[in-house]
Amino acid sequence: MHDKQLSTEELIAQDVGGRTPTGLMARSIAGLALLWSLFQLWIASPLPFIFGFGVLNDTQTRAIHLAFALLLAFLAYPAFKRSPRDRVPLLDIALGLVAAASAAYLFIFYQQLALRPGSLTTEDLITACIGIPLLLEATRRALGPPLAIIALVFLIYSLAGPYMPGLLAHRGVSFHALANHQWITTEGVFGIALGVSTSFVFLFVLFGALLERAGAGHYFIQLAFSLLGHFRGGPAKAAVLASGLTGMISGSSIANVVTTGTFTIPMMKRTGFSSEKAGAVEVASSVNGQIMPPVMGAAAFLMVEYIGMPYVEIIKHAFLPAAISYIALLYIVHLESLKLGLQPIGSAQPKPWLRRLTGLAFGAALISGISLIVYYGLGWLKPALGDYALPGIGALLAVVYLGLLKVAASVPVLPAEDPNAPLEELPETRAVLLSGLHFLLPVVVLVWCLMIERLSPGLSAFWGSVMLVIILLTQRPLLSWMRQDGSHDHGTFKDGVIDLREGLIAGARNMIGIGIATAAAGIIVGAVSQTGVGLVLADLVELLSMGNLLLMLILVAVFSLILGMGLPTTANYIVVSSLLAPVVVSLGQQNGLIVPLIAVHLFVFYFGIMADVTPPVGLASFAAAAVSKGDPIKTGLVAFFYSLRTAALPFLFIFNTDLLLINVDFWHGVLIFVVATVAMLIFAAGTQGFFLVRSRWYESVLLLLVAFSLFRPGFWMDMLHDPYRDIPPAQLAQALDSVEDGSSLRVRVRGEDKVGDPREFVVLLPVPAGADGQARLDKLGLMTYEDGDKVLIDSVAFGSSAAEAGLEFDQQILSVRAPTERWAKEWMWLPALLLFGLVVWLQRRRKAS
């Protein structure tokens, strides 16, 4: 495995393009990348509709998007390790042009294809037969063999269905049908995944590249070091914070490792962390960036399409687990620092707790105050300005931008990044903070458009990128002009143009792998829809789990880890969600566990990205080991150990959806956040074997028990008092009459699945408002009748609550369970906290002695 270790420069090149040619070819690749970024900005903007030309539909934009990605993949990535990296062979140029033409076929002949849906011509078949193999080859070059092999297996499975053994057999797909489904329609390669890459992902990756080019990445790292460097293990804590800030907008955990890691890993090593632990901290924090809203490695935008849930809702549900996971990682780093006996950096000592809390409270109050002023100020300004709202808000942004630049010009220039510089002094927080406040303006614009204006993610990223373009073009000359003492020359407008050009090129090169990955993952999605392999996988998991719910979830988690090996975050999510999310839903229903779809998708997503950490194919761990010069397998093992909290969270929020803030009011949400954070910190202490002092084995067990009880108080309360009471199915109307509006009945029914096989499952039937039980039953759109001792469904109104729950004609109602009155499950927190107090007392007594 050690032969995989590369230099940092080689890793960065591998992540954004494997070749570094010179001369005309380098300019050609840069020109194509620039053209791709400009095309994406054009289709995301309102300009095509304003000028009345260049308006393209989804299929056309996807075809052009993939054509760019394929051409650049063959130009930027060599075929083999021994292939030349300083030039592009003619064969690769030819392959790139042919692949791009195959993708552009859907754009060029769109009208003809639209007039003959499903009617495959010889030209269509030849194009598909050329395009699919070239896409697989581009995938192999850009992302390595795993995704290409998985896609190829699914293509073979589609054709060889009738020859498969028992459980895996299906009726098979003809060669013509396969070519049509995968390449000519929008069910396969050109499906939802590539559409999300075209519409949303590219713009957010470009936003991140422009922000990095503007200097925000260096600013975030310096800010993290100035805030946390004075503590024990300060560089490691700063690495967590900096990677969190950059990871939120990064589309790749590997890219995050090799950018922030080049600065943070050497500093961690110098303070006393081993090579493996320094790399593991960077890996754990970079991978965690993929679960942190607003971007979540582009999975958030895919969830919008797959779940049909508004983007803002997905961010709300994903925020709490990601936040407490990051807080716990900071605590793990703190515990490691205590175990290693590390001391703070520099002569400055940390402030007392009271002063720190006061400063934190003041900062939170200031941010809240500014947020309220912006929210209500703009809320008042927009109606007041009417048609002039856009130019008025633009002028206001310009004034704020100039004011923040003036503030930045009044403080010393940030030192250049040098990971080998002595760690004797840390930058002053106030000076660092003031030097880059203008970098927050594009983020404010992005969040405002997403959260307040409720614009699409693509259009929101476009307006954020417009703000970034203005900053890139103007910050250098304005800062040079505003520094009246002439102490530093920031550059000219021409330098800003160069920054913009390089940022646009970097954004497009970062997107090559993601664009190719979403297209290749589309093959898998297309095969699932064409063959019904999802049902086969559900049968396989059910067979292996023997009907045990927890074992079923563990198997799904393991499958997600295996499927995610070697895949980038976006492709990873597409593969595991299309294959395994339906499995969790259907098998959960059969076992009486009703899981919201967002919880299922987050479950498989969390375990999919864990593959970036887990040996033997943890790509992020290999990247970190290349920077730290440590052992990649050991780095991966330590990183996995640090990431146990991330692995535990999906199981917890599957069984306790309060952690995802589902059907939770504001104050209850605040309470859950506080308790869940405390629980996660206790869990981290239990897994690390260290709390106030080194824990004895039974103390670690008690800490884990306390953490579990705080996360899942309902587990113990259900043992003390069943939350439901059984009601005979014939008394369904009476059951509806005796429960409160807004509650739910658990109804177990027997019916048939999509292929006619019998199955039992549980549905949650919402209780509507009504005068009596029969009126409520009518509102549900449900009619039943008795056949001997059986209760059967007579009819289900179309579009009714009963239909949405999954009830259908002729299903048998086996049981009905109504909620009972009992103590709130949160009372179980009290004995858990008492047990925690016992551990604290034991360790304080030992520490004192």
Side-chain angles (χ1 to χ4, degrees):
M1 290 291 184
H2 286 279
D3 61 338
K4 289 193 176 182
Q5 290 189 357
L6 305 169
S7 70
T8 303
E9 292 76 13
E10 287 175 319
L11 266 167
I12 295 172
Q14 183 177 344
D15 197 61
V16 299
R19 284 195 181 106
T20 51
T22 56
L24 178 62
M25 187 49 65
R27 291 194 293 274
S28 299
I29 293 173
L32 281 169
L34 180 62
L35 193 61
W36 191 11
S37 287
L38 293 174
F39 165 74
Q40 294 288 160
L41 286 170
W42 171 262
I43 61 171
S45 72
L47 295 177
F49 301 97
I50 293 172
F51 294 112
F53 72 92
V55 179
L56 304 173
N57 63 34
D58 286 346
T59 304
Q60 293 170 316
T61 55
R62 292 174 192 180
I64 296 172
H65 179 84
L66 184 57
F68 271 115
L70 285 169
L71 179 54
L72 284 167
F74 280 101
L75 297 180
Y77 293 92
F80 306 103
K81 287 183 178 180
R82 62 180 181 274
S83 301
R85 291 179 178 269
D86 57 346
R87 62 184 178 83
V88 182
L90 287 175
L91 177 62
D92 284 0
I93 296 173
L95 289 174
L97 290 172
V98 172
S102 301
Y105 182 83
L106 270 73
F107 167 71
I108 297 167
F109 297 102
Y110 175 75
Q111 293 297 334
Q112 294 93 313
L113 292 169
L115 292 174
R116 49 178 173 81
S119 177
L120 205 68
T121 64
T122 305
E123 291 80 9
D124 298 342
L125 183 62
I126 292 171
T127 303
C129 290
I130 293 172
I132 292 174
L134 287 178
L135 171 60
L136 294 176
E137 169 59 13
T139 305
R140 184 192 67 81
R141 292 185 182 208
L143 304 165
L147 181 57
I149 292 171
I150 293 171
L152 184 61
V153 166
F154 273 89
L155 287 173
I156 295 170
Y157 177 73
S158 297
L159 294 170
Y163 312 105
M164 289 288 174
L167 186 65
L168 296 174
H170 63 90
R171 60 184 176 80
V173 175
S174 71
F175 190 76
H176 279 68
L178 178 71
N180 181 62
H181 190 81
Q182 293 287 4
W183 196 264
I184 303 301
T185 71
T186 55
E187 297 294 323
V189 171
F190 296 93
I192 289 175
L194 188 65
V196 171
S197 175
T198 307
S199 305
F200 306 146
V201 179
F202 190 105
L203 289 158
F204 276 86
V205 171
L206 180 62
F207 182 85
L210 292 174
L211 202 59
E212 178 69 31
R213 187 69 193 187
H218 178 45
Y219 171 69
F220 287 151
I221 289 174
Q222 291 291 329
L223 184 61
F225 269 86
S226 69
L227 286 169
L228 300 173
H230 299 296
F231 298 98
R232 292 176 185 267
K237 292 172 182 173
V240 175
L241 183 58
S243 295
L245 291 170
T246 55
M248 284 192 292
I249 54 173
S250 168
S252 165
S253 50
I254 303 166
N256 207 17
V257 166
V258 297
T259 48
T260 59
T262 51
F263 187 69
T264 58
I265 289 174
M267 288 201 165
M268 282 188 267
K269 287 174 67 177
R270 298 192 60 168
T271 55
F273 278 80
S274 67
S275 297
E276 287 76 21
K277 285 189 176 180
V281 169
E282 181 60 42
V283 169
S285 50
S286 293
V287 170
N288 251 47
Q290 306 300 292
I291 66 173
M292 178 64 79
V295 180
M296 295 166 59
F301 314 124
L302 288 158
M303 286 181 193
V304 170
E305 300 295 328
Y306 288 158
I307 303 176
M309 181 179 284
Y311 179 77
V312 175
E313 285 292 307
I314 286 172
I315 288 177
K316 184 187 84 171
H317 297 318
F319 172 74
L320 193 146
I324 63 176
S325 186
Y326 255 114
I327 293 168
L329 183 57
L330 280 170
Y331 185 58
I332 287 172
V333 168
H334 177 70
L335 293 176
E336 284 286 4
S337 304
L338 289 175
K339 285 194 277 187
L340 293 170
L342 303 184
Q343 296 302 316
I345 300 171
S347 55
Q349 293 299 312
K351 297 175 183 177
W353 276 105
L354 186 59
R355 286 184 62 191
R356 271 189 250 161
L357 287 174
T358 305
L360 184 65
F362 177 76
L366 182 64
I367 292 170
S368 301
I370 293 171
S371 302
L372 289 172
I373 290 169
V374 170
Y375 181 80
Y376 289 106
L378 285 180
W380 167 82
L381 197 61
K382 282 177 65 181
L385 292 176
D387 294 338
Y388 300 98
L390 187 60
I393 292 171
L396 181 63
L397 271 174
V399 171
V400 173
Y401 170 54
L402 291 172
L404 293 177
L405 276 184
K406 183 65 177 174
V407 170
S410 67
V411 297
V413 180
L414 289 182
E417 285 185 15
D418 183 6
N420 298 313
L423 294 178
E424 295 171 357
E425 293 295 331
L426 291 164
E428 185 191 350
T429 302
R430 179 181 175 277
V432 174
L433 179 65
L434 296 178
S435 69
L437 284 173
H438 58 286
F439 293 134
L440 301 180
L441 278 178
V443 180
V444 170
V445 170
L446 173 67
V447 173
W448 175 270
C449 292
L450 278 172
M451 302 294 187
I452 310 301
E453 298 295 332
R454 297 296 179 100
L455 301 181
S456 71
L459 192 55
S460 301
F462 169 76
W463 287 117
S465 298
V466 167
M467 189 70 220
L468 265 173
V469 168
I470 294 168
I471 290 174
L472 279 163
L473 291 174
T474 61
Q475 69 170 345
R476 285 178 176 271
L478 286 174
L479 281 171
S480 296
W481 173 64
M482 288 178 178
R483 284 193 185 276
Q484 297 174 352
D485 57 0
S487 60
H488 194 85
D489 181 18
H490 289 271
T492 63
F493 180 78
K494 183 180 178 182
D495 295 317
V497 173
I498 293 171
D499 281 341
L500 175 59
R501 183 193 70 196
E502 295 303 314
L504 291 170
I505 292 170
R509 293 195 67 159
N510 291 347
M511 264 304 296
I512 297 172
I514 298 174
I516 294 294
T518 51
I523 292 177
I524 299 164
V525 176
V528 170
S529 65
Q530 197 172 23
T531 64
V533 68
L535 295 172
V536 173
L537 198 61
D539 290 341
L540 179 62
V541 172
E542 186 178 17
L543 182 69
L544 293 174
S545 65
M546 298 171 289
N548 184 288
L549 191 59
L550 187 60
L551 185 56
M552 180 267 288
L553 289 172
I554 292 171
L555 282 171
V556 170
V558 171
F559 284 162
S560 298
L561 275 173
I562 293 169
L563 288 170
M565 284 183 178
L567 304 189
T569 306
T570 315
N572 184 322
Y573 169 68
I574 297 165
V575 173
V576 296
S577 65
S578 59
L579 286 174
L580 296 174
V583 175
V584 179
V585 172
S586 62
L587 295 185
Q589 275 191 322
Q590 289 179 35
N591 287 273
L593 178 68
I594 311 298
V595 189
L597 208 51
I598 179 67
V600 174
H601 278 255
L602 285 174
F603 181 91
V604 296
F605 174 59
Y606 269 51
F607 279 103
I609 62 166
M610 285 289 289
D612 271 351
V613 178
T614 313
V617 198
L619 297 182
S621 299
F622 277 99
V627 178
S628 70
K629 304 295 184 270
D631 183 274
I633 299 297
K634 285 183 182 177
T635 301
L637 289 171
V638 176
F640 181 76
F641 193 56
Y642 288 163
S643 300
L644 280 176
R645 72 206 188 289
T646 309
L649 273 170
F651 286 98
L652 294 167
F653 62 60
I654 282 283
F655 288 102
N656 182 10
T657 55
D658 287 356
L659 293 171
L660 299 179
L661 303 180
I662 295 174
N663 299 325
V664 169
D665 59 44
F666 176 77
W667 291 112
H668 191 195
V670 171
L671 178 64
I672 288 168
F673 177 76
V674 172
V675 173
T677 302
V678 171
M680 187 52 78
L681 296 181
I682 295 171
F683 178 83
T687 54
Q688 293 298 308
F690 196 101
F691 182 39
L692 302 178
V693 293
R694 284 195 180 275
S695 301
R696 290 172 178 161
W697 70 268
Y698 57 85
E699 291 173 338
S700 293
V701 171
L702 289 177
L703 287 172
L704 293 175
L705 181 62
V706 170
F708 175 77
S709 302
L710 292 176
F711 273 124
R712 275 217 63 202
F715 178 81
W716 305 112
M717 185 58 77
D718 289 350
M719 286 187 173
L720 295 176
H721 193 301
D722 195 323
Y724 291 93
R725 55 191 170 89
D726 290 313
I727 293 173
Q731 297 177 15
L732 179 59
Q734 293 92 315
L736 286 168
D737 195 20
S738 63
V739 293
E740 295 181 0
D741 297 349
S743 59
S744 299
L745 297 179
R746 293 175 65 88
V747 181
R748 176 171 285 276
V749 298
R750 178 183 291 139
E752 295 180 347
D753 61 17
K754 293 179 181 178
V755 294
D757 293 330
R759 73 178 186 117
E760 292 183 11
F761 60 97
V762 174
V763 298
L764 279 183
L765 209 56
V767 178
D772 54 34
Q774 188 58 49
R776 289 175 168 179
L777 195 60
D778 294 340
K779 278 193 174 182
L780 284 172
L782 186 64
M783 290 183 65
T784 62
Y785 70 96
E786 294 185 39
D787 182 12
D789 59 348
K790 296 180 180 179
V791 176
L792 303 173
I793 296 176
D794 191 22
S795 67
V796 179
F798 178 76
S800 64
S801 300
E804 290 176 2
L807 298 181
E808 296 176 356
F809 164 73
D810 209 32
Q811 290 174 338
Q812 180 186 355
I813 298 178
L814 300 174
S815 66
V816 178
R817 306 197 77 203
T820 58
E821 290 187 13
R822 64 170 187 171
W823 287 3
K825 62 184 178 182
E826 286 77 13
W827 283 107
M828 298 308 299
W829 287 342
L830 292 179
L833 291 173
L834 288 173
L835 195 59
F836 178 60
L838 172 64
V839 177
V840 171
W841 177 74
L842 288 171
Q843 295 211 355
R844 284 177 70 90
R845 193 177 65 167
R846 200 156 69 248
K847 187 177 182 181
S849 62

